[in-house]
Amino acid sequence: MTTGASPPTVRAPITDRLLKLKEIFTSKYGCEPSFYARAPGRVNLIGEHIDYCGYAVLPMAIEQDILAAVKPTDFDVVHLSNTNPSYLDFSVSFENIQIDKTKPLWHNYFLCGLKGIQDHFHLTSLTGMNCLLDGSIPPSSGLSSSSALVCCAGLVTLTANGMTLSKVELAETCARCERYIGTEGGGMDQSISFLAEEGTAKLIEFSPLRATDVRLPAGAVFVIANSCVEMNKAATAHFNIRVVECRLATKILAKSKGLAWRDLMKLGDLQEKLGVTLEDMLAVVDEVLHPEPYTREEVCEFLGISLDELRATVLSQNTQEVSTFKLYQRAKHVYSEAARVLDFKKVCDEAPANALQLLGDLMNQSHLSCKDMYECSCPQLDQLVDICLKSGAVGSRLTGAGWGGCTVSMVPVQKLDHFLSSVQDSFYNTDDQRSLLKEKSLFATKPGCGAMVILEENKM
Ligand code: GLA
């Protein structure tokens, strides 16, 4: 179980990466950084698109992260720069923090974290800072580079202003403030970024937020493979359409069961109100919802509300003009995926002799449900999952929001070498563009540690 601890501050010897960051920082800002902060990305093993419905998910942090070098200043300005020259410098003063929802530029994610801390403490001003960021998480790949940047910015702002929050408070603050960018995500990415611990995956549960260790089977390795299709969830409406479809399914199911539906927004809260099992919920979906898409008019008529009320209370800013909603399929995915997460955890806890097969089956079912019911896959992800399974994985699925990005596969240890070379040959070497990216696109990963502040050893 999680405690109320804050992210750790560690004194560490300067590594090659920190040294490089320090050198660039010093030549850019004319002073040395006084501290560093890092927040990791994550890979979700199972439980996709259910955190914002209130259900538990099962991610682990990866080694790749966002790292910042920071020096607080006496000025009322934050200067941001990035070691990646395609991310342009940006400066802002505190009276003027604007987060542009129409353009998900990199600095806007930093501003989300900054504003999250400002809002949490109701601060009218903050300490100025010079910051240099360095990211090792491939962007738009489903490994949570954007949330890691928000979390890193939150931790940087907190530290520079001499304040403290627990990991749980930081995770909740960062989940809330990432929505300033316009996507209505759940809290998985920010939670694992703060609550991760080396060597263990986590079951993340919400309301209240808590993380429980999940011991992964010793005989398997989790391998991430990038489909090389970039998907920035803030740049399209795909993500928010799914969130809205889940809200509408909640309301229609609730009303048809005679519940006070107006305050219910999450499929998970509906299950709790009805006091039934996930299996029962799947039967309720079959009984109430029809597989044909619902039109806006049908939804409004069923709920007895006007289009204006629908727009104001359920639809997000970027889904105002969506005219049809697939409610049956989305609800089926959510309730079945929520059950798969619990089954996955149970198999990990009980470790039966056929654990790998059982876990692999759950991952495969999860991918099929994402593909067919939630429609958040894409042809390249499906092809990659197929190749991974043919190359020796016992389970393979898209990870993260989908519509591009990465797959995660569970591979028996003794098959790892063959798996890597076979996926390399069948997916990456057959395409010039992919083969250019292959170094960083296919790698085994282990559960990494959570966000931390780093102070240079031997420096006062
Ligand atoms: C994104 C969101 C998460 C979660 C996943 C899908 O990463 O930020 O909250 O909804 O997509 O599982």
Side-chain angles (χ1 to χ4, degrees), residues 42 47-49 51-52 185-189 233 239 400-401:
R42 59 99 190 96
E48 223 60 84
H49 287 278
D51 57 348
Y52 51 79
M188 162 169 71
D189 308 344
K233 64 182 182 298
F239 190 91

Side-chain angles (χ1 to χ4, degrees), residues 127-148:
T127 306
M129 303 185 269
N130 292 333
C131 303
L132 173 66
L133 280 295
D134 180 60
S136 58
I137 311 166
S140 303
S141 66
L143 301 178
S144 188
S145 56
S146 38
S147 300

Side-chain angles (χ1 to χ4, degrees), residues 155-204:
L155 185 55
V156 160
T157 309
L158 188 78
T159 309
N161 285 275
M163 294 177 300
T164 50
L165 282 177
S166 71
K167 296 178 195 180
V168 166
E169 287 165 322
L170 265 165
E172 286 177 336
T173 303
C174 290
R176 214 174 307 122
C177 69
E178 189 167 334
R179 299 192 192 118
Y180 297 150
I181 207 91
T183 37
E184 313 235 351
M188 162 169 71
D189 308 344
Q190 302 81 3
S191 305
I192 193 67
S193 195
F194 284 111
L195 298 172
E197 283 173 299
E198 199 162 352
T200 175
K202 294 276 184 181
L203 180 81
I204 304 280

Side-chain angles (χ1 to χ4, degrees), residues 258-273:
L259 297 178
W261 56 272
R262 279 177 193 274
D263 292 339
L264 280 175
M265 296 290 262
K266 294 181 183 172
L267 287 165
D269 294 345
L270 171 66
Q271 185 200 352
E272 206 180 294
K273 274 263 163 353

